[in-house]
Amino acid sequence: PPPLLSVDVTGLVSQFARSFVLIFPVYVLGYLGLSFSWVLIALCGLFWIRRHRGGKTSRLGRALAFLEDEEEAVRLSVSSADLPAWVHFPDTERAEWLNKTVKQMWPFICQFIEKLFRETIEPAVRGANNHLSTFSFTKIDIGHQPLRINGVKVYTENVDKRQIILDLQISFVGNCEIDLEIKRYFCRAGVKSIQIHGTMRVILEPLIGDMPLIGALSLFFLRKPLLEINWTGLTNLLDVPGLNGLSDTIILDIISNYLVLPNRITVPLVSEVQIAQLRFPIPKGVLRIHFIEAQDLEGKDTYLKRIVKGKSDPYGIIRVGNQIFQSKVIKENLNPKWNEVYEALVYEHPGQELEIELFDEDPDKDDFLGSLMIDLIEVEKERLLDEWFTLDEVSKGKLHLKLEWLTLMPTAENLDKVLTSIRADKDQANDGLSSALLILYLDSARNLPSGKKINSNPNPLVLLSVGHKAQESKIRYKTNEPVWEENFTFFVHNPKRQDLEVEVRDEQHQCSLGNFKLPLSQLLESQDLTMHQRFHLSNSGPNSTINMKIALKILSLEKQARSPDHQHSAQVKRPSLSKDARKSSFKPQVPVSPPPDSNKPVPASPVTDSEKKTDTAEKSQPPNASPQWPTDLSRSSSSLHASNFSYSPSHLSVKEPTPSIASDISLPIATQELRQRLRQLENGTTLGQSPLGQIQLTIRHSSQRNKLIVVVHSCRNLIAFSEEGSDPYVRMYLLPDKRRSGRRKTHVSKKTLNPVFDQIFDFSVSLPEVQRRTLDVAVKNSGGFLSKDKGLLGKLLIPLASEELAKGWTQWYDLTEDGTRPHGAS
């Protein structure tokens, strides 16, 4: 029999009684013919009694709470955003004495800043571009409001005994007035006010036994500060040739990122010899981030005017200092699996954190899905963490991360073990998980040739490349003995096989001034894996040399010895700022790939079938310039130069994820599958010379159009991906550019092993530039919609450093598993 309905008789009677008490007085007033004003008077009296009694109870409760916990009572009564850092964190101290000192010194600090603008910045801007030769500051007034220090933290643990580390919580709201003029274009602009808020780290090192006891002073921000500039006449300024590609947001990002680690200002206090080590900073370690998956995320997509709630399109933004990574977007999934891996340099700790934010991709504004901050000291202690972390600032959601702390070893004893662990001892690829870190200090060059014009000084810059990764130095104008004093870092997959290529070029005439190649295997044989010398330049003057210091560090994962019952959870730091404030200072308006050394994608582990075979994971960014901010601004080109736009997260027109090599770009997963398929096809028989088939290409450079022309004709004898054959198409990149905008794809030919495409593609690149590039060609199987039959059919890497490129050629090429050792078939 069906269960009987239960009725709460007591609750029903109670509700009826309350309703009767409220309605009966109104009925009585109407029955007696009295005015309705008596009801209003009674209600006002009742509200006053309740409020008075509630206020009294609240005051009594706050008094008792204050007696029990004074600090918590203060936090409840004062807004969190109004509290200075020394209230939030007990190890952060007030610094009123320091603020009084800064206030007293402020007029003299302003004099120094004005001198810096006129004697250093102004000449540097004039020399950076011919269009800016008439640039000048007409007025420089920093204002009377001094910089304020809200708190000071001194580190006493996990620091070198020969250094002092301070973190200053600074805040500057300046009513400054800086006016500039470019007379050539009758342009006037200026700055009316500047605001900057952030954590500045001050390092006093090395401590020495002689006066002044401190060898040098280093200043930088641990993370991007909140910067706001009130411009005047900015529209006029951005109309000037050479600056018309900028915007307000891009300028702010360029300035902010130049203030963030690893960029730093170093002020020497003793002789150059004693601070030579500061010119060659060694990272504290490398953080390998396995961005695996998330669970139970919030559904942000809604339909029918938010009546029907859908799922989300989640992606993650990962930040370590000014190194930013963005994962690919997983469509319509609240439990996404990314299985991506990134590597980031850690220059300073304590103080640096791993910051992660998840967003739901939308056409207009991306929705926030949660955040996470992890102290890197905890990761360094544990060496290896593989955990689920609860997301902050949202009601639900978890994130699965695997974090590895890699130590920089000065010897090659463990290199073979490291190469085996990342499978770099067997493959021939130049990309993948890193086994070593190459650190390079570019000092200067001597006796460079004059270039194309005799008796004219060149504008030299240096191009550095390791494998497919390239970086570029600043330009030094009108000199044949340039001084750069810049640092560069490269992640190296296998130092036994890879080379460092250095080329000095004249930026003005676009010609080479000399080059040399250094096999990294020579560093393995050097003492402490370091070489510091002048290298002779080939194809240059008889006495042309370049002075560099090069060091190789082996990346080793040293696992801690733990007891069987040891359990640990990484310390997750709760954000001290609100979600909106964090998003404005952390999330880039257009997510970006990381700076030079860190934009290197690495293979994901583990990888699902759907993720390891998608083209979406094949996106990357070109490398950036040197990470160090030169202290001598007179020797550096303007930060507004186009080559430095890569520091800005907003310089890209579209959002593009930072690639983890979870596809065929670099090797591991797709290549292993391809090799397994070859073994299955062989099955005791001997395959031909081209087991994966061949592709016919025409390649030439058009000097009139200034473009590289590639014609994809056809393929033959491809392997069958299924019983019905394959659905092949061709994908191309012009390395090192792996951005989505730099990708070229043919149409898909259905169910054939001998597809004919006859499609023409072009890449906008000059002839001197293209000769430093490599054409990356991959033949892939498309498969149907939601099909698992997607993957690599063969690959080809074609170096374009050929003198015949202007004439062009048509040739059949053998496809291989990883693209290496390509050779023409006919």
Side-chain angles (χ1 to χ4, degrees):
L4 298 176
L5 297 174
S6 59
V7 179
D8 186 3
V9 179
T10 306
L12 189 62
V13 172
S14 175
Q15 184 178 359
F16 176 79
R18 286 195 299 270
S19 302
F20 180 79
V21 170
L22 292 175
I23 297 174
F24 182 72
V26 179
Y27 171 78
V28 171
L29 289 173
Y31 181 79
L32 298 177
L34 299 177
S35 172
F36 188 73
S37 301
W38 290 101
V39 177
L40 298 178
I41 294 172
L43 289 175
C44 290
L46 180 63
F47 288 150
W48 183 84
I49 292 172
R50 286 190 173 184
R51 183 174 181 181
H52 180 72
R53 184 181 299 172
K56 184 177 180 180
T57 305
S58 177
R59 288 193 298 272
L60 181 61
R62 285 201 301 267
L64 293 174
F66 188 82
L67 291 175
E68 292 179 1
D69 192 344
E70 180 178 352
E71 179 182 354
E72 188 65 23
V74 173
R75 288 180 179 272
L76 290 173
S77 60
V78 182
S79 173
S80 176
D82 298 332
L83 294 174
W86 56 268
V87 175
H88 285 294
F89 309 104
D91 53 355
T92 302
E93 304 172 8
R94 297 184 63 180
E96 285 305 312
W97 65 271
L98 195 53
N99 287 320
K100 293 177 182 178
T101 304
V102 172
K103 185 177 181 180
Q104 186 75 11
M105 297 172 59
W106 189 246
F108 303 96
I109 294 176
C110 292
Q111 291 179 20
F112 167 75
I113 294 176
E114 181 177 358
K115 182 179 179 182
L116 178 69
F117 270 69
R118 295 195 183 279
E119 298 182 5
T120 304
I121 298 179
E122 186 175 300
V125 174
R126 287 182 175 181
N129 194 307
N130 291 331
H131 298 289
L132 303 177
S133 58
T134 57
F135 174 90
S136 64
F137 290 103
T138 57
K139 183 178 181 179
I140 301 175
D141 182 8
I142 307 302
H144 61 274
Q145 191 69 28
L147 177 143
R148 180 168 180 80
I149 301 170
N150 296 322
V152 178
K153 180 177 180 179
V154 182
Y155 290 92
T156 57
E157 298 179 357
N158 302 312
V159 297
D160 193 330
K161 293 182 179 180
R162 297 194 62 192
Q163 67 177 191
I164 298 173
I165 299 179
L166 309 172
D167 278 353
L168 307 182
Q169 308 286 337
I170 69 165
S171 176
F172 176 62
V173 182
N175 55 340
C176 60
E177 190 170 354
I178 303 174
D179 296 332
L180 58 90
E181 181 182 20
I182 304 176
K183 294 181 180 179
R184 180 177 177 181
Y185 298 99
F186 304 100
C187 171
R188 293 184 179 181
V191 174
K192 285 295 182 184
S193 64
I194 297 177
Q195 291 191 39
I196 184 168
H197 308 274
T199 301
M200 175 183 284
R201 171 154 293 185
V202 180
I203 301 181
L204 311 176
E205 69 169 340
L207 301 180
I208 55 179
D210 298 323
M211 294 301 293
L213 302 181
I214 299 169
L217 176 72
S218 297
L219 307 172
F220 53 85
F221 282 89
L222 288 171
R223 63 183 62 85
K224 182 180 174 182
L226 178 62
L227 177 65
E228 294 182 4
I229 299 179
N230 182 17
W231 302 94
T232 59
L234 181 63
T235 306
N236 298 331
L237 183 64
L238 298 184
D239 287 337
V240 175
L243 301 180
N244 48 16
L246 297 175
S247 68
D248 180 20
T249 306
I250 291 178
I251 294 174
L252 290 179
D253 282 328
I254 290 173
I255 296 173
S256 298
N257 281 289
Y258 262 117
L259 302 175
V260 179
L261 194 71
N263 303 313
R264 64 179 72 200
I265 300 175
T266 301
V267 182
L269 303 178
V270 295
S271 65
E272 293 287 325
V273 176
Q274 290 175 290
I275 67 158
Q277 60 187 27
L278 299 179
R279 295 184 178 274
F280 195 67
I282 304 296
K284 298 291 190 298
V286 170
L287 180 66
R288 183 174 290 160
I289 307 161
H290 297 255
F291 191 66
I292 303 175
E293 59 182 325
Q295 281 187 1
D296 199 22
L297 298 179
E298 293 182 347
K300 293 291 185 178
D301 295 339
T302 56
Y303 309 96
L304 298 177
K305 295 185 178 181
R306 300 189 177 183
I307 297 177
V308 179
K309 200 161 188 177
K311 297 183 179 181
S312 293
D313 304 324
Y315 68 91
I317 294 179
I318 305 162
R319 187 182 193 120
V320 180
N322 69 344
Q323 303 165 76
I324 305 175
F325 311 84
Q326 181 194 325
S327 74
K328 62 174 178 278
V329 179
I330 306 297
K331 296 291 185 180
E332 295 286 328
N333 201 328
L334 299 181
N335 300 288
K337 294 184 178 181
W338 293 282
N339 291 304
E340 298 186 341
V341 189
Y342 307 101
E343 291 176 338
L345 295 174
V346 180
Y347 279 89
E348 286 296 331
H349 68 89
Q352 274 197 288
E353 295 98 17
L354 169 64
E355 306 176 54
I356 299 176
E357 284 194 337
L358 300 185
F359 292 93
D360 166 37
E361 185 184 52
D362 286 322
D364 47 2
K365 182 180 179 181
D366 295 350
D367 297 318
F368 181 74
L369 293 177
S371 64
L372 187 66
M373 293 180 66
I374 300 177
D375 196 333
L376 294 185
I377 293 182
E378 300 294 320
V379 182
E380 184 194 11
K381 289 179 181 177
E382 293 299 314
R383 304 293 181 180
L384 176 63
L385 286 174
D386 190 351
E387 296 183 13
W388 283 91
F389 298 92
T390 302
L391 295 172
D392 292 329
E393 305 180 79
V394 287
S395 59
K396 61 178 183 177
K398 297 188 298 182
L399 181 63
H400 185 194
L401 298 174
K402 180 181 176 183
L403 306 175
E404 297 175 326
W405 180 271
L406 305 178
T407 307
L408 306 184
M409 307 298 292
T411 62
E413 296 176 359
N414 298 328
L415 178 58
D416 291 336
K417 180 180 177 182
V418 173
L419 292 176
T420 303
S421 67
I422 65 172
R423 302 173 184 175
D425 54 337
K426 296 179 180 179
D427 64 63
Q428 299 295 319
N430 289 327
D431 295 305
L433 289 170
S434 302
S435 65
L437 182 70
L438 182 67
I439 307 170
L440 188 148
Y441 176 66
L442 175 62
D443 185 9
S444 60
R446 287 183 182 175
N447 304 317
L448 294 179
S450 57
K452 289 187 177 180
K453 291 187 178 181
I454 302 175
N455 299 327
S456 66
N457 288 327
N459 297 340
L461 62 89
V462 179
L463 298 176
L464 307 153
S465 61
V466 176
H468 298 148
K469 299 176 292 294
Q471 298 184 42
E472 188 175 292
S473 75
K474 300 289 192 303
I475 302 170
R476 295 296 178 255
Y477 290 90
K478 298 180 180 179
T479 176
N480 59 359
E481 296 200 355
V483 177
W484 288 283
E485 296 181 345
E486 295 182 53
N487 287 294
F488 301 87
T489 52
F490 290 91
F491 283 112
V492 179
H493 183 56
N494 189 342
K496 292 184 176 181
R497 291 188 293 98
Q498 294 183 262
D499 302 325
L500 169 66
E501 297 183 14
V502 180
E503 181 182 13
V504 184
R505 295 188 62 83
D506 181 4
E507 185 270 341
Q508 183 177 5
H509 300 107
Q510 291 296 312
C511 63
S512 177
L513 300 177
N515 57 72
F516 80 92
K517 179 185 289 188
L518 176 68
L520 298 184
S521 56
Q522 292 187 17
L523 284 169
L524 297 175
E525 301 170 358
S526 304
Q527 184 177 3
D528 297 328
L529 309 184
T530 303
M531 299 177 69
H532 188 186
Q533 65 185 66
R534 288 196 168 273
F535 297 90
H536 180 74
L537 293 174
S538 303
N539 304 315
S540 184
N543 299 317
S544 299
T545 60
I546 185 168
N547 188 15
M548 305 170 67
K549 182 178 180 180
I550 309 171
L552 193 68
K553 302 294 181 181
I554 308 302
L555 303 181
S556 175
L557 176 61
E558 299 177 345
K559 296 183 179 180
Q560 297 286 82
R562 300 293 185 188
S563 59
D565 58 345
H566 173 78
Q567 292 183 350
H568 177 80
S569 179
Q571 178 182 352
V572 179
K573 302 186 69 174
R574 303 299 170 185
S576 57
L577 300 175
S578 67
K579 179 178 70 176
D580 295 335
R582 277 167 45 79
K583 286 173 71 176
S584 64
S585 61
F586 168 70
K587 184 198 172 190
Q589 292 189 359
V590 181
V592 66
S593 68
D597 37 322
S598 59
N599 78 331
K600 167 158 171 328
V602 289
S605 162
V607 183
T608 62
D609 287 345
S610 60
E611 279 125 18
K612 67 191 174 189
K613 298 173 185 174
T614 55
D615 275 329
T616 345
E618 296 182 343
K619 306 167 191 173
S620 181
Q621 297 294 336
N624 291 344
S626 164
Q628 184 167 2
W629 187 12
T631 56
D632 187 353
L633 294 179
S634 63
R635 291 176 177 173
S636 67
S637 61
S638 168
S639 64
L640 303 182
H641 190 273
S643 64
N644 294 329
F645 288 173
S646 51
Y647 278 102
S648 166
S650 305
H651 77 285
L652 298 175
S653 58
V654 293
K655 293 188 289 186
E656 297 181 356
T658 310
S660 162
I661 305 197
S663 67
D664 64 279
I665 287 185
S666 330
L667 174 78
I669 302 300
T671 300
Q672 290 172 18
E673 284 193 344
L674 198 53
R675 287 173 177 169
Q676 291 176 3
R677 194 172 295 114
L678 277 176
R679 285 195 292 269
Q680 293 172 1
L681 291 173
E682 185 175 4
N683 195 22
T685 64
T686 302
L687 296 176
Q689 292 183 349
S690 306
L692 296 180
Q694 297 174 326
I695 183 172
Q696 187 183 34
L697 302 173
T698 295
I699 303 174
R700 70 179 181 88
H701 186 272
S702 172
S703 57
Q704 294 180 346
R705 299 171 59 190
N706 205 30
K707 290 183 177 181
L708 175 70
I709 310 297
V710 181
V711 183
V712 181
H713 294 288
S714 60
C715 299
R716 64 188 181 190
N717 302 325
L718 299 179
I719 62 173
F721 213 91
S722 63
E723 295 179 357
E724 298 179 350
S726 297
D727 298 334
Y729 69 94
V730 179
R731 185 271 300 145
M732 292 184 294
Y733 287 110
L734 190 59
L735 300 179
D737 183 7
K738 295 179 185 174
R739 290 178 295 177
R740 188 184 187 91
S741 58
R743 184 174 62 184
R744 306 290 186 269
K745 289 174 59 177
T746 68
H747 64 261
V748 178
S749 293
K750 294 290 186 179
K751 296 178 177 142
T752 176
L753 302 182
N754 300 284
V756 177
F757 301 104
D758 287 330
Q759 287 185 252
I760 303 175
F761 303 93
D762 60 67
F763 299 85
S764 296
V765 60
S766 65
L767 182 59
E769 175 68 20
V770 77
Q771 291 180 337
R772 299 197 302 270
R773 303 288 196 95
T774 300
L775 184 64
D776 179 356
V777 182
V779 181
K780 307 184 72 178
N781 186 64
S782 175
F785 182 65
L786 298 180
S787 171
K788 292 185 178 180
D789 292 333
K790 297 181 180 180
L792 180 66
L793 295 174
K795 198 172 179 187
L796 175 66
L797 293 174
I798 306 176
L800 300 176
S802 172
E803 297 180 356
E804 301 295 325
L805 191 60
K807 298 180 181 179
W809 63 82
T810 300
Q811 190 169 317
W812 283 97
Y813 292 92
D814 291 340
L815 296 171
T816 62
E817 302 98 324
D818 52 21
T820 56
R821 305 179 309 279
H823 58 276
S826 63

